[in-house]
Amino acid sequence: MIIDSLQNLSLYQGLNPYFPEVVAFLQKHPLEELPLGKTVIGEHAFINIVESPVRSKEEARLETHNRMIDIQLPISASEEHGYAHRARLPEATYDDANDISFYEAPCDGYVVVRPGQFVIYFPQDGHAPAITPVGLKKAIVKVEYVDAR
């Protein structure tokens, strides 16, 4: 998991061969101007602008992805994210069509992500996003995962 200011996103381009394309897209397209729904960034990435409803810590469930990296960016309000390393999570059913597993497990901790910031989740990062008392508009960038090891 990485959390930082959006102005520093380019510092992380070397972590994945498709990140430079994402950075270039985000530099040219203000998040506030993107329409709701999915916009293709390239062959290996897309952005989904969503409106997340009010969600409590108790309602949020940890999730992981096998094939995609999440870059999550709140637009209209801050949101809290729960976190747990995948290695400590119990077995869970994997939904291959949607590249997601959900877990019935507590979070290890929480972080607040504010507008102007981003958080990156790799396949090893369990995350419970969009914990918000007011609801929010946010961007979720999905980038194909490439294991650089």
Side-chain angles (χ1 to χ4, degrees):
M1 176 181 83
I2 296 169
I3 184 170
D4 201 346
S5 170
L6 187 53
Q7 66 188 19
N8 294 330
L9 184 59
S10 63
L11 299 174
Y12 303 95
Q13 291 183 94
L15 296 177
N16 180 287
Y18 310 122
F19 278 11
E21 187 174 43
V22 170
V23 170
F25 178 89
L26 292 174
Q27 288 172 339
K28 293 178 186 170
H29 301 89
L31 293 174
E32 299 80 12
E33 295 176 11
L34 292 172
L36 289 176
K38 181 178 175 179
T39 300
V40 174
I41 295 173
E43 186 178 337
H44 303 281
F46 65 89
I47 187 168
N48 197 13
I49 305 296
V50 300
E51 291 180 338
S52 294
V54 171
R55 183 181 304 166
S56 67
K57 287 181 178 178
E58 294 75 31
E59 294 170 312
R61 292 185 354 189
L62 285 163
E63 62 185 65
T64 59
H65 312 287
N66 293 349
R67 296 187 311 270
M68 302 298 274
I69 296 167
D70 275 7
I71 304 174
Q72 300 200 18
L73 309 103
I75 299 169
S76 66
S78 296
E79 64 179 312
E80 205 166 353
H81 289 232
Y83 174 82
H85 195 278
R86 187 179 199 161
R88 77 142 201 92
L89 294 173
E91 290 293 317
T93 302
Y94 176 65
D95 178 346
D96 185 59
N98 294 304
D99 184 38
I100 197 164
S101 295
F102 288 105
Y103 299 86
E104 299 300 327
C107 297
D108 291 337
Y110 295 87
V111 296
V112 174
V113 187
R114 294 174 174 76
Q117 294 182 310
F118 67 89
V119 62
I120 302 175
Y121 293 112
F122 294 90
Q124 72 269 16
D125 299 318
H127 52 286
I131 300 168
T132 169
V134 296
L136 76 146
K137 183 177 178 183
K138 68 182 288 184
I140 304 167
V141 179
K142 295 288 201 171
V143 184
E144 187 178 321
Y145 173 67
V146 175
D147 190 344
R149 291 179 276 169

